[in-house]
Amino acid sequence: MSKASGINQQAWLGGLLKGLVVFFSWLPLRINRWAGSFIGWLLWWIPNSNKRVSEKNVAVAFPELSPQEQRRLVKRSLIHLGQVTTELGPAWCWPESKLLPLIKEVKGQELLDQAREQNKGVLLLAPHIGAWEINGMYTSTTQASTFLYRPPNIPSVEAFMVNARSRYGAKLAPTDMRGVRDLVKALKAQQLSAILPDQDPGEKGGVYAPFFGRPARTMTLVSKLIQKSDCAFLFVVMERLPKAEGYRLHILPAEAEVASADEAVAAAALNRGVEACIRIAPEQYLWSYKRYRKPPAGVDDIYKS
């Protein structure tokens, strides 16, 4: 494929993705959820990697469940995965006056209030549960915010994504050294930020730590950000409520060890916090993500067995 044809293909794919997001934004939330559920049903019935990976992960995380219960959890998680896709429409396109009233309850608001009273920046740890895209939309309206973002694989959609995520006032910084420096500077300036703490950091960005009893590569960026900025830190989950009723935001405390200078201790505490978040709504977690990829020596790769 020539360079020109590759660029054209990227532009075509970016235009298609933007068109789909805008289309999903035209749908009322009830219809949007129905469309997402339909995508999830297809993922359940048609053989695909999302289903295979979800089955492996659920079996590791919940060995106490019967095979039937595990299958039920996988099925429900794929339905929520479909809803994550269609939910990009409201999350990226709806105005504040339409999107934020869908947050029906905030549990743990006092924890965030107490963190702000310390006159420090606040780092929110938001795992891939429920409507994580809406977390940033909500929090950026409550306090000056700077968020890291990973540039998409399709460059032609980057500007659309950045504009969508920053439209309520947040500043976005890419996940490179300059972006990390900007984030530390923002936290020192008593701003708010959020990070997805359950992403695979790669070979050099993390250490192995238990995640539901099995070693998983876990980022050390969280503890380093806290140490460099002396910020407060909390976990957050935007739970998707049934029957298109909206969302419930959970704000949870994080163990002090998340900030430990010992990377193994900090990573283990971080994963325990993510596990606690997942137990709020296990079916809404992104089980299709290869959380246990590239295991340490002597540990089987569950995705190849």
Side-chain angles (χ1 to χ4, degrees):
M1 181 183 294
S2 67
K3 182 177 180 180
S5 61
I7 293 174
N8 289 335
Q9 184 180 40
Q10 290 280 332
W12 182 85
L13 286 173
L16 175 63
L17 290 174
K18 287 183 282 189
L20 285 172
V21 170
V22 172
F23 169 74
F24 290 137
S25 75
W26 294 341
L27 305 177
L29 186 60
R30 186 174 298 276
I31 304 302
N32 184 288
R33 290 270 183 92
W34 181 90
S37 297
F38 177 74
I39 294 173
W41 275 96
L42 290 178
L43 292 173
W44 170 249
W45 287 109
I46 299 174
N48 62 90
S49 61
N50 290 295
K51 181 179 179 181
R52 290 192 296 272
V53 172
S54 297
E55 289 172 338
K56 298 285 188 179
N57 286 337
V58 166
V60 167
F62 298 102
E64 72 276 12
L65 296 182
S66 68
Q68 294 77 13
E69 290 171 326
Q70 290 182 359
R71 283 174 54 84
R72 190 178 303 118
L73 178 54
V74 169
K75 180 179 179 181
R76 292 170 65 191
S77 73
L78 291 173
I79 289 173
H80 279 281
L81 176 58
Q83 292 175 352
V84 168
T85 303
T86 58
E87 208 167 47
L88 285 177
W92 285 11
C93 299
W94 283 7
E96 181 180 335
S97 59
K98 185 177 181 181
L99 182 63
L100 295 193
L102 293 173
I103 301 173
K104 303 301 183 182
E105 182 183 7
V106 179
K107 301 186 70 173
Q109 178 66 49
E110 69 280 0
L111 295 173
L112 184 56
D113 294 340
Q114 292 167 8
R116 288 169 172 160
E117 289 171 0
Q118 299 177 35
N119 294 321
K120 295 182 176 182
V122 181
L123 180 62
L124 299 179
L125 309 172
H128 290 83
I129 307 170
W132 63 82
E133 282 282 348
I134 298 177
N135 278 322
M137 300 294 102
Y138 172 77
T139 54
S140 64
T141 65
T142 65
Q143 185 176 342
S145 304
T146 298
F147 301 135
L148 288 178
Y149 79 95
R150 178 173 293 178
N153 294 329
I154 302 176
S156 58
V157 81
E158 182 173 2
F160 175 68
M161 181 187 74
V162 170
N163 290 335
R165 289 176 170 174
S166 63
R167 72 188 188 282
Y168 292 174
K171 296 180 181 179
L172 266 69
T175 50
D176 54 23
M177 291 303 298
R178 181 177 178 180
V180 171
R181 287 195 297 268
D182 288 345
L183 187 57
V184 171
K185 182 179 179 180
L187 288 169
K188 287 183 176 180
Q190 300 180 20
Q191 290 192 21
L192 181 148
S193 189
I195 193 167
L196 297 164
D198 52 341
Q199 287 183 318
D200 181 1
E203 294 182 5
K204 298 181 180 180
V207 296
Y208 287 101
F211 182 62
F212 285 103
R214 189 177 184 88
R217 291 197 300 198
T218 304
M219 66 172 61
T220 56
L221 176 61
V222 170
S223 59
K224 291 176 180 177
L225 286 173
I226 297 169
Q227 293 162 23
K228 289 180 179 179
S229 65
D230 189 31
C231 65
F233 48 97
L234 298 163
F235 282 96
V236 292
V237 173
M238 189 68 75
E239 179 188 5
R240 190 177 293 109
L241 297 176
K243 299 180 181 179
E245 294 174 0
Y247 307 93
R248 178 185 295 117
L249 177 62
H250 299 261
I251 303 173
L252 297 86
E255 297 178 21
E257 287 81 3
V258 169
S260 174
D262 186 319
E263 293 182 343
V265 171
L270 183 65
N271 281 349
R272 288 195 296 270
V274 173
E275 291 175 17
C277 291
I278 291 172
R279 294 188 189 281
I280 292 173
E283 71 282 0
Q284 296 190 27
Y285 187 60
L286 189 67
W287 294 111
S288 59
Y289 185 65
K290 290 185 177 181
R291 190 68 178 83
Y292 300 107
R293 75 178 74 191
K294 303 290 184 180
V299 176
D300 293 337
D301 188 335
I302 63 172
Y303 308 117
K304 292 182 179 180
S305 60

